[in-house]
Amino acid sequence: MSRRLVLILAVTCAVGVGNIYFPQAISPLVAAGLRESPDSAALLVTATQVGYTAGIFLLVPLGDRLPYRPFLVTLLALTGAGLLAAGCATALPPLVAASALIGVTTVAAQIVAPLAAGLVAADRRGAVMGTLLSGSIGGMLLARTFSGTLGEWLGWRAPYLVAAVLVLLLATVLAYTLPATTPPSRQPYPALLAESLRLLRTEPDLRRSCLYQATVFAGFSAVWTCLALLLTGPAYGLGAQAVGMLALVGAATMLWTPFAGRLVDRGGPDRVNLVCMLGVLVSAAVLTAGARGGVLGLTALILGTLLLDVAMQSGMVANQARVFALRPDARGRLNTAYMTCAYLGGSAGSWLGVRAYGQAGWRGVCALVALLAVLALARHLVALYGRRPQLDEIPATSRR
């Protein structure tokens, strides 16, 4: 696979993921423009996220059943139509409905990952996954800035309309640049959906990869959910925009994940996972100092969130490399199971984080992150060192 195609696919990931996050920055503008309450306008963000989770489960398995090129182009065209409908909405209900459509269809990043894994040699798979993940991170980080700035200048409709143009242009580019592929499966659609659950039951490496990402992503979500509470509370007394500025620290992970992918190619995913889990534990310790407030506390938050971001995203590269190597004929279904578990873990982490903050403050959140990392690390150590030797691995002289 050429570098140009890898770049195009990384941009596709960035645009797809960005469509999930950019509405978060303009919901206050939507509330003012449509004369709705801020709580009501926040429904468009919820609708997009719920739609995205549904799209992962319902559409990503079709990547094993349909040729990638027409499938991706169709999804992008539907996303573009949803963005145009959102930008032209005159009331909140049609805007929420359009947001749900955008969420369901903007799963391009989850389709691109299995596609790229099948087009690249095994010894380059980790590096390519890291590059694609950098694109997703870039889309996640830049989308809020893009939509907030453009919305302030031209109104809340402008981000939707500009995003629609970008998505439709990208669909045209992919229609001419993606190679033709043969679907690896001819199973009917209901069987594809059931297969994702069956793979979880039958593939132990898939289960442990899901556990690793679910626990680490849960800790990541707990931290970022509660950061706003900490920074706007009495310890710091900052505005909500401080959280957005702190999130830009995560841009460094865009440069790190391709390197993490090369480490996976050289040493295998297990070593990278081990380092990442230890990194999460260290980040929890560093973040604990953020409860003190002041310059020292803010420095600890910057360093701790950066380390946590790098560890979480690098672990994602390692886990996807392991998962995609299991069944080349079922990468879409494997990715469906993996990403669904990851997002369920993230949702649970946000819920647990808020409750930990309410009971024990910021230190309680950091303790939760450490506990989740220990759970993942314990399972990983069992996988590395706890395997019992098979009968044919035991020397004959030792058998009785």
Side-chain angles (χ1 to χ4, degrees):
M1 184 165 57
S2 67
R3 290 185 177 180
R4 186 184 71 165
L5 182 55
V6 173
L7 178 61
I8 292 172
L9 293 179
V11 172
T12 303
C13 291
V15 173
V17 171
N19 288 332
I20 307 167
Y21 289 96
F22 85 75
Q24 295 177 354
I26 59 171
S27 62
L29 299 175
V30 172
L34 296 180
R35 298 181 180 178
E36 297 280 353
S37 69
D39 289 345
S40 298
L43 286 174
L44 66 94
V45 177
T46 303
T48 305
Q49 293 175 337
V50 171
Y52 187 68
T53 304
I56 290 176
F57 183 75
L58 296 174
L59 296 182
V60 173
L62 285 172
D64 292 334
R65 180 70 173 77
L66 303 174
Y68 280 112
R69 183 168 59 194
F71 185 34
L72 269 173
V73 170
T74 300
L75 285 177
L76 289 170
L78 290 172
T79 303
L83 289 164
L84 286 173
C88 297
T90 57
L92 188 60
L95 177 56
V96 171
S99 298
L101 173 62
I102 294 166
V104 169
T105 58
T106 192
V107 292
Q110 310 310 328
I111 306 295
V112 163
L115 163 65
L119 295 177
V120 71
D123 60 352
R124 289 189 59 229
R125 189 170 293 144
V128 171
M129 291 300 104
T131 301
L132 297 181
L133 187 56
S134 291
S136 297
I137 296 168
M140 179 176 61
L141 293 174
L142 299 178
R144 299 183 184 96
T145 304
F146 154 78
S147 63
T149 303
L150 195 62
E152 289 288 346
W153 286 350
L154 301 175
W156 69 266
R157 299 180 190 276
Y160 283 104
L161 298 177
V162 172
V165 173
L166 290 175
V167 167
L168 294 174
L169 284 175
L170 190 58
T172 304
V173 170
L174 290 179
Y176 288 97
T177 57
L178 278 183
T181 57
T182 301
S185 174
R186 303 301 298 174
Q187 288 182 287
Y189 179 62
L192 288 175
L193 293 181
E195 181 77 358
S196 297
L197 299 176
R198 190 189 70 80
L199 287 168
L200 270 175
R201 187 175 67 253
T202 59
E203 296 287 349
D205 279 347
L206 172 61
R207 287 198 302 274
R208 69 184 179 100
S209 297
C210 290
L211 175 65
Y212 298 164
Q213 194 62 28
T215 50
V216 172
F217 193 41
F220 175 88
S221 298
V223 166
W224 283 102
T225 299
C226 297
L227 261 176
L229 302 175
L230 176 66
L231 292 177
T232 58
Y236 290 93
L238 299 175
Q241 66 271 21
V243 181
M245 295 302 296
L246 189 61
L248 291 178
V249 172
T253 57
M254 294 176 60
L255 305 176
W256 177 263
T257 46
F259 176 69
R262 290 192 288 273
L263 291 179
V264 171
D265 291 334
R266 293 171 187 169
D270 283 343
R271 292 183 181 179
V272 174
N273 274 136
L274 179 60
V275 173
C276 290
M277 292 167 191
L278 293 174
V280 174
L281 276 174
V282 174
S283 74
V286 174
L287 285 168
T288 302
R292 301 178 59 178
V295 175
L296 180 61
L298 191 58
T299 302
L301 291 179
I302 292 172
L303 294 176
T305 53
L306 177 59
L307 180 56
L308 180 62
D309 285 8
V310 168
M312 193 275 289
Q313 302 290 2
S314 299
M316 171 79 83
V317 175
N319 290 327
Q320 284 192 314
R322 181 188 299 107
V323 167
F324 288 148
L326 294 175
R327 289 270 307 274
D329 63 319
R331 289 191 174 111
R333 287 158 284 176
L334 288 165
N335 200 42
T336 296
Y338 172 73
M339 293 305 300
T340 300
C341 290
Y343 273 89
L344 288 174
S347 300
S350 297
W351 186 85
L352 290 171
V354 171
R355 276 138 191 85
Y357 190 88
Q359 294 293 322
W362 180 249
R363 290 186 176 87
V365 176
C366 296
L368 172 64
V369 174
L371 175 61
L372 291 167
V374 167
L375 290 175
L377 182 60
R379 175 65 182 88
H380 193 48
L381 292 177
V382 169
L384 293 181
Y385 306 112
R387 298 187 182 100
R388 294 182 178 181
Q390 301 297 319
L391 183 61
D392 57 359
E393 295 175 348
I394 303 175
T397 55
S398 302
R399 299 177 191 166
R400 296 297 182 196

